[in-house]
Amino acid sequence: MRIIATIAELRRALRGRTVACVPTMGNLHEGHLGLMRVAQRHGDCTVATIFVNRLQFAPHEDFDTYPRTFAADCAQLERAGVDVVFAPDEREMYPVAQGYKVAPPPELGDILEGEFRRGFFNGVCTVVLKLFNVVQPQAAVFGKKDYQQLRVIQGMVAQLALPIAIVPGETARTDDGLALSSRNSYLSPAERAQAPRLHRTLAATAQSIAAGARDYGRLEQDAIDALRRSAWAPDYVAVRRQADLQPPAPGDRDLVVLAAARLGGTRLIDNIEVSA
């Protein structure tokens, strides 16, 4: 496995290869490794990128304290059979202040996560487009755990006519249902024991929909109230169409239940797809 830090060296190394890419911010877990295994089916060279992207963090968020575990990450990636790790520093990715930025349409980028993390998807789209231009993959894998991010990236690739297949990867979970996340390491032992409740709450909502419930606003509020009674601080619970994350219309069947909530000082997100 090669570890590469510069754009020029990466382009030389990938010349003539069929590349599948998995962009990450490091602090890797089994969910990331599952995405690597998906990528290995879509190219003869698997590239993992590790870059903590300042542009997608608000000033009050955890950019400075975000876990950075580069040596451990590389050891896991090598065991997983990844071919190349691209790990630029900020000077390589942003040699001058990034004045050109990519913004998704407000109807997708300013809802849900975009409402509570203003500018987040501008930062995501900008760095992902830049990584795509650097790596020039034929396929890229993004996890469904970040469901809105997946839809934003799919839309960007489609509208900008990028020759890249965006491949979804399923959410990896612990045995008690908690979605794997780099931020799970922030949880105290007591919070970790409570954390699977978010998934259980979404699962109960999804089960109600599958059983025929259609008062989505009531279902959302019931889920929010249930989380609050358990000492969570929800930002949202939302029932949306899978395709575009808009509120369901009568007859829409392919739905997803999404949530973001704080448990102590840790903000967790999760989602469950459901057929109405």
Side-chain angles (χ1 to χ4, degrees):
M1 185 180 79
R2 293 183 62 178
I3 299 172
I4 297 175
T6 69
I7 294 170
E9 182 183 354
L10 183 74
R11 286 178 168 162
R12 288 194 298 269
L14 299 182
R15 190 172 295 125
R17 306 293 298 273
T18 300
V19 175
C21 176
V22 184
T24 84
M25 293 203 302
N27 193 29
L28 304 183
H29 49 67
E30 179 56 36
H32 293 107
L33 300 181
L35 301 182
M36 305 298 163
R37 290 190 286 271
V38 173
Q40 287 166 342
R41 302 197 294 267
H42 292 271
D44 62 33
C45 180
T46 302
V47 177
T49 70
I50 297 177
F51 180 68
V52 183
N53 176 42
R54 186 185 296 271
L55 296 185
Q56 67 195 66
F57 289 80
H60 66 281
E61 293 184 329
D62 57 341
F63 174 79
D64 290 328
T65 59
Y66 191 85
R68 291 160 170 85
T69 55
F70 185 69
D73 292 343
C74 289
Q76 291 187 78
L77 293 171
E78 186 161 28
R79 288 194 296 270
V82 168
D83 299 291
V84 174
V85 175
F86 178 54
D89 62 18
E90 281 197 288
R91 288 172 297 179
E92 184 70 13
M93 283 297 289
Y94 303 126
V96 298
Q98 189 70 30
Y100 291 87
K101 296 179 182 178
V102 182
E107 62 269 20
L108 182 58
D110 291 350
I111 61 172
L112 304 173
E113 287 299 283
E115 178 182 351
F116 288 90
R117 302 182 69 188
R118 291 291 181 183
F120 171 69
F121 287 115
N122 293 11
V124 168
C125 286
T126 300
V127 75
V128 169
L129 181 60
K130 195 161 191 175
L131 286 169
F132 284 170
N133 285 332
V134 170
V135 179
Q136 299 183 3
Q138 284 70 51
V141 183
F142 289 82
K144 285 187 178 181
K145 200 269 288 185
D146 297 287
Y147 203 91
Q148 187 175 7
Q149 174 178 274
L150 172 63
R151 291 291 181 255
V152 166
I153 297 302
Q154 287 174 324
M156 180 182 75
V157 166
Q159 290 198 14
L160 297 182
L162 302 180
I164 303 168
I166 302 301
V167 182
E170 296 297 328
T171 301
R173 299 183 182 277
T174 58
D175 290 342
D176 57 9
L178 178 64
L180 296 186
S181 168
S182 297
R183 290 186 169 95
N184 289 351
S185 62
Y186 296 161
L187 297 168
S188 70
E191 290 166 348
R192 173 61 185 84
Q194 174 70 238
R197 184 175 295 276
L198 183 61
H199 178 250
R200 293 198 299 268
T201 301
L202 295 186
T205 303
Q207 288 166 5
S208 295
I209 294 169
R214 295 294 180 268
D215 187 345
Y216 299 125
R218 176 64 179 271
L219 290 171
E220 292 168 351
Q221 191 59 53
D222 286 349
I224 288 171
D225 292 343
L227 288 169
R228 285 175 174 160
R229 287 193 298 269
S230 300
W232 289 72
D235 284 343
Y236 61 84
V237 176
V239 180
R240 298 297 173 95
R241 292 194 298 244
Q242 292 179 22
D244 58 8
L245 299 185
Q246 296 305 299
D252 286 336
R253 294 187 54 81
D254 294 328
L255 307 180
V256 58
V257 188
L258 310 103
R262 292 188 182 276
L263 183 59
T266 305
R267 186 175 186 272
L268 301 177
I269 65 172
D270 203 349
N271 66 83
I272 296 179
E273 294 178 321
V274 59
S275 180

